[in-house]
Amino acid sequence: MELFWFIPLHGDGRYLGTSEGARAVDFDYTRQIAQAADRLGYHGVLVPTGKACEDAWIAASSLISATSKLKFLVAVRPGLMSPSTAARMASTLDRFSNGRLLVNIVTGGDPHELAGDGIFLSHKERYEQTDEFMTIWRRLMQGEQVTYNGKYLRTEEGQLLFPPLQKPYPPVYFGGSSPAAQRIAADHVDFYLTWGEPPEEVAKKIAEVRKLAEASGRTVRFGIRLHVIVRETNEEAWAAADQLIRYVDEDTIAEAQSILARYDSVGQKRMADLHKGDRSSLVIGPNLWAGIGLVRGGAGTALVGDPQSVAARIKEYYELGIETFVFSGYPHLEEAYRAAELLFPLLPLKARSALDQSSAIEAYGELVAYNKRPGKVTGPQGGGTTHELVQQTRQ
């Protein structure tokens, strides 16, 4: 499997729904996150798009030289740019990054946001346009001269003069829960992405897309977008989940859900149905928690628990056919380290390269008394906390 992390271009902090504990997401901070993901051994990062984000392409371009192996999953939004412009951008970034570009096709699900960008198409029409866009884009990326006259898009003798490094083009990712979206996935993309629904629902999506792809003579691989809250014990992990939404009040939930209700995205509706805005209904499966979706659009679920429990859930999705896991956590810099340190040793991760190492120096911690390498924990930890020792002394 491959594990990706997330570049939080729309903001970051220690809590949701409040400015308490917030931090500015500027270039230096996103560079820290990208470099941490690169060094820790994540295979890539998702660079999001939309009204609430800094521009994904400029952000990814800025982070190329700060990293060496990390791949960048960058969004293309049909309707905001022509297929030929998108092809030139993708080809250039792929070459300049030495083949580290992945392309994420995002049709969009908020009519209000889309109208602000000048797109006034219905849900059905947007996916028809996406189909035309992908038809032209793929042909251009493969070196064809393209003349196309569709319902939404038209091009005459379009051509990409500087081809991408990856052949036939950088891998294409795409998510969407509607039948129209699944049809796009079956016909055009390499990886179909789903948000973190319970395994039985994810299995149904995989089966449907796989069936559609087979009917088109294609194969599609699968990925999932989830948050992760992993701690050394289950108790610590669930306490951290509660802390994440400690400042989220009922008014904030109502306001967020009112905004999200205007979406015509089937996937967003499915996310909302998992919790229905009810704080008492957030555990929706073993180690699967919907609390983030109370105030966040898009991916709203998290895997919560100790390393063994979370790894077991990841493997459960993996057995269904999920190969790529796109994770995030708040705040993203610290949680990138925590997730890697606690989960990577427990998972069957694909090597980024034969020579890939997260560090040339073995990670063994600080030397004991400046002379001795510390050993592994092999049994119950002795000594107790300072607080416990003080209490024992007083007794």
Side-chain angles (χ1 to χ4, degrees):
M1 63 177 69
E2 293 186 321
L3 264 58
F4 286 29
W5 198 244
F6 186 79
I7 304 296
L9 295 183
H10 46 47
D12 199 12
R14 291 185 289 123
Y15 307 103
L16 293 177
T18 178
S19 60
E20 185 76 21
R23 59 185 57 169
V25 177
D26 55 16
F27 172 68
D28 287 339
Y29 183 60
T30 57
R31 179 173 55 187
Q32 281 184 286
I33 297 172
Q35 289 178 329
D38 197 26
R39 180 184 181 278
L40 289 165
Y42 288 93
H43 297 83
V45 286
L46 173 61
V47 188
T49 190
K51 173 184 176 181
C53 300
E54 298 280 14
D55 184 77
W57 285 87
I58 292 175
S61 300
S62 300
L63 295 170
I64 289 173
S65 61
T67 56
S68 59
K69 297 183 177 69
L70 197 66
K71 295 186 177 182
F72 291 86
L73 179 54
V74 188
V76 169
R77 300 198 79 164
L80 292 186
M81 62 180 73
S82 71
S84 58
T85 298
R88 285 195 293 273
M89 291 168 63
S91 182
T92 300
L93 190 55
D94 191 49
R95 289 194 316 278
F96 282 24
S97 67
N98 197 28
R100 291 191 283 140
L101 174 66
L102 307 171
V103 175
N104 185 25
I105 302 299
V106 179
T107 298
D110 179 3
H112 184 269
E113 176 189 348
L114 291 164
D117 284 332
I119 299 174
F120 298 93
L121 301 177
S122 68
H123 181 277
K124 175 177 179 290
E125 290 170 331
R126 293 200 305 275
Y127 282 100
E128 290 175 345
Q129 183 189 60
T130 298
D131 179 70
E132 293 186 6
F133 180 98
M134 288 304 302
T135 299
I136 299 170
W137 185 89
R138 290 173 62 204
R139 290 176 61 189
L140 288 170
M141 294 294 282
Q142 293 178 89
E144 295 183 38
Q145 185 179 89
V146 181
T147 295
Y148 184 93
N149 190 7
K151 180 179 178 180
Y152 304 94
L153 301 174
R154 177 182 175 185
T155 183
E156 294 184 5
E157 297 183 2
Q159 191 174 12
L160 180 65
L161 299 178
F162 297 94
L165 185 63
Q166 299 180 83
K167 303 302 180 187
Y169 41 74
V172 176
Y173 292 67
F174 175 83
S177 296
S178 68
Q182 292 179 345
R183 181 76 263 170
I184 297 290
D187 288 344
H188 291 292
V189 310
D190 303 295
F191 286 84
Y192 174 77
L193 292 172
T194 179
W195 287 330
E197 298 180 45
E200 58 272 18
E201 296 303 318
V202 171
K204 293 176 185 177
K205 282 186 175 182
I206 289 175
E208 183 60 30
V209 173
R210 191 172 274 157
K211 178 182 177 182
L212 290 170
E214 288 174 355
S216 296
R218 301 184 69 250
T219 57
V220 176
R221 299 160 73 181
F222 299 92
I224 194 167
R225 172 78 179 95
L226 281 158
H227 306 274
V228 62
I229 303 173
V230 60
R231 298 294 186 270
E232 293 186 14
T233 68
N234 275 310
E235 292 76 16
E236 289 175 302
W238 286 107
D242 290 337
Q243 282 294 302
L244 185 60
I245 59 171
R246 64 179 294 187
Y247 294 112
V248 175
D249 57 29
E250 295 304 315
D251 288 341
T252 303
I253 294 173
E255 182 179 14
Q257 294 304 307
S258 175
I259 293 171
L260 296 174
R262 74 191 184 199
Y263 285 39
D264 59 13
S265 162
V266 174
Q268 183 60 61
K269 286 180 171 60
R270 290 169 70 109
M271 282 282 102
D273 286 343
L274 293 175
H275 55 75
K276 297 181 173 59
D278 183 357
R279 299 179 73 111
S280 66
S281 304
L282 298 181
V283 179
I284 57 173
N287 303 100
L288 190 59
W289 181 70
I292 295 172
L294 290 175
V295 294
R296 186 193 193 279
T301 54
L303 294 177
V304 181
D306 62 33
Q308 292 73 26
S309 299
V310 172
R313 300 287 80 75
I314 293 172
K315 290 175 183 177
E316 186 176 355
Y317 285 112
Y318 181 62
E319 291 300 319
L320 296 178
I322 299 292
E323 298 178 49
T324 301
F325 294 80
V326 184
F327 288 139
S328 57
Y330 299 91
H332 288 73
L333 179 60
E334 291 91 324
E335 293 301 308
Y337 275 92
R338 199 190 304 267
E341 291 165 355
L342 295 179
L343 292 176
F344 282 17
L346 304 178
L347 298 172
L349 299 182
K350 177 182 177 182
R352 295 192 301 183
S353 73
L355 300 177
D356 187 30
Q357 295 180 347
S358 62
S359 175
I361 301 174
E362 182 184 355
Y364 50 75
E366 184 178 18
L367 295 174
V368 175
Y370 301 125
N371 258 294
K372 184 176 181 292
R373 290 187 181 185
K376 301 284 187 182
V377 175
T378 57
Q381 299 180 33
T385 66
T386 301
H387 174 74
E388 290 168 342
L389 293 174
V390 169
Q391 293 300 314
Q392 291 168 9
T393 302
R394 288 175 178 170
Q395 292 171 2

